[in-house]
Amino acid sequence: QRLAARDGSLPSSFQVQPLEQIQKTRSSKTKVLPISFNATLVANLVDQHQTTEHVMAIRKKSEASRQQKAHDTNERQKSSAAQLQKRLALRQKAKQARALKKCTPFQTLSDQAQDQIVDAMNFEQIKEGTALCEQGSVADRMYLLMSGHCSVQVDGVHVANLYQLDVFGENALFSTTNNSTRNRPMLRSATVIAREDVDVLVLSRNALKTLLHSKVMDRQTMMVLKEVAEERKQQNALMKEAMHVDALK
C-alpha cells in the first residue's frame, strides 16, 4: 500500500521471506532461500483467493438451498399426511352419521351409494368470513358442513343458519340450466358465509359426473334433485319477501 501510494505501482520484482520460513530456519538452522514475488504473481494470488471465496460462497448457498428444499418437501409431506388423515376421519364421520340421509335428494339412495358419494368428496378448511357460495355465481360444487356454522343470505338479507352435518349447494349442482329452453348454467340462489373457521367435505361437478357414469345415482334421483331445487328457490323468495315485510313494520 505504501509503495502504491508513492508512485502508483509496485516494483517489477521484490523479495520477501515468509514468517513460517523464518521460524523454520531458526529452529532447523537450515538456510532457506527467499521467495521472489512480482506484481503478476501477486495479482494471480489475489485472483485465486477471490475465486476460492466465490466458489465457497456458491457451495454454501447451494447447500442452504438444498436444505431449505428438503425442509419444505418434508413440511409438505407432513401437511399432506395430516390432510389425508383429516379427510378420511371426516368421511367416516359422515358415513356413520348418515349425513346424506338428512338431505332430501339423497334419501332414496342406498347406504352403499351414499358412502360412494362421500368417498368422492374432498376436504377443505374455510376461514371465518369466507363466502363458500355467492348468490349469482355459477354452481359447481356441493358442501357437507362437518364443523362450525354458516349463515345464508339472499340479496344481503339473512334467511337461515347452517350447522354441522348440513348439506348445501346441492340444488344447483345437479341441475345444468336455469331455463330448459336455454343452455345456461345454474346460478347460486343464495350466499353462504362461514361465521367461524369451518371444515367441509366438497363434491365437485366433475366428481358427480364420474358417479353418474358409474350409475351410483339413477335418473329418478336426478329428477328429485331438480324438483327440490325449484322448491328451494321458491322458499328463498318467500323468506326474502317475509324479511322485507318485517323490516317495513
Side-chain angles (χ1 to χ4, degrees), residues 75-208:
E75 290 299 315
R76 285 195 298 270
Q77 291 176 345
K78 289 181 179 180
S79 178
S80 297
Q83 289 279 330
L84 175 60
Q85 293 299 322
K86 184 75 171 180
R87 181 171 70 248
L88 294 176
L90 291 180
R91 285 177 177 176
Q92 186 62 28
K93 179 179 178 180
K95 292 176 184 179
Q96 292 177 346
R98 286 295 155 207
L100 296 185
K101 281 286 188 183
K102 301 175 183 179
C103 182
T104 302
F106 299 109
Q107 288 179 350
T108 59
L109 297 180
S110 65
D111 290 348
Q112 181 180 2
Q114 291 180 16
D115 290 346
Q116 287 177 303
I117 293 174
V118 172
D119 285 335
M121 291 181 164
N122 291 321
F123 164 61
E124 291 185 11
Q125 290 180 308
I126 310 297
K127 294 295 184 181
E128 179 182 359
T130 302
L132 289 80
C133 301
E134 292 189 9
Q135 184 177 358
S137 64
V138 176
D140 62 353
R141 52 180 53 191
M142 177 191 77
Y143 297 87
L144 173 56
L145 186 58
M146 299 303 299
S147 69
H149 77 282
C150 302
S151 66
V152 182
Q153 299 178 1
V154 177
D155 293 339
V157 179
H158 176 78
V159 297
N161 289 316
L162 296 169
Y163 298 97
Q164 184 175 317
L165 299 179
D166 281 341
V167 178
F168 60 96
E170 76 282 6
N171 299 335
L173 181 61
F174 295 112
S175 181
T176 57
T177 61
N178 281 325
N179 190 317
S180 59
T181 61
R182 297 180 182 179
N183 186 22
R184 295 180 180 177
M186 175 62 76
L187 305 180
R188 297 291 188 190
S189 59
T191 297
V192 178
I193 301 175
R195 290 309 178 190
E196 59 183 306
D197 292 350
V198 301
D199 293 333
V200 293
L201 290 176
V202 183
L203 180 65
S204 67
R205 185 182 293 275
N206 289 335
L208 173 63

Side-chain angles (χ1 to χ4, degrees), residues 5-23:
R6 184 178 61 185
D7 57 11
S9 63
L10 294 175
S12 60
S13 177
F14 63 92
Q15 294 182 342
V16 63
Q17 187 173 358
L19 178 61
E20 293 83 358
Q21 292 186 9
I22 294 174
Q23 293 174 342

Side-chain angles (χ1 to χ4, degrees), residues 25 42 48 66 109-110 149 152-153 183 210 216 224 227 238:
T25 301
V42 171
Q48 290 177 7
R66 185 192 67 79
L109 297 180
S110 65
H149 77 282
V152 182
Q153 299 178 1
N183 186 22
T210 300
V216 173
V224 171
E227 292 176 0
L238 291 174

Side-chain angles (χ1 to χ4, degrees), residues 214-228:
S214 64
K215 297 182 180 180
V216 173
M217 292 183 178
D218 55 25
R219 295 296 177 184
Q220 180 180 359
T221 302
M222 298 300 295
M223 294 299 296
V224 171
L225 291 172
K226 291 181 180 180
E227 292 176 0
V228 172

Side-chain angles (χ1 to χ4, degrees), residues 35-96:
I35 299 174
S36 179
F37 279 83
N38 56 43
T40 302
L41 179 59
V42 171
N44 289 339
L45 290 174
V46 171
D47 289 342
Q48 290 177 7
H49 177 69
Q50 291 176 341
T51 301
T52 300
E53 286 188 334
H54 183 62
V55 170
M56 293 300 294
I58 292 176
R59 289 178 177 175
K60 185 177 180 180
K61 183 177 180 180
S62 177
E63 178 63 18
S65 177
R66 185 192 67 79
Q67 292 180 358
Q68 183 62 44
K69 288 181 179 179
H71 174 74
D72 292 344
T73 299
N74 187 44
E75 290 299 315
R76 285 195 298 270
Q77 291 176 345
K78 289 181 179 180
S79 178
S80 297
Q83 289 279 330
L84 175 60
Q85 293 299 322
K86 184 75 171 180
R87 181 171 70 248
L88 294 176
L90 291 180
R91 285 177 177 176
Q92 186 62 28
K93 179 179 178 180
K95 292 176 184 179
Q96 292 177 346

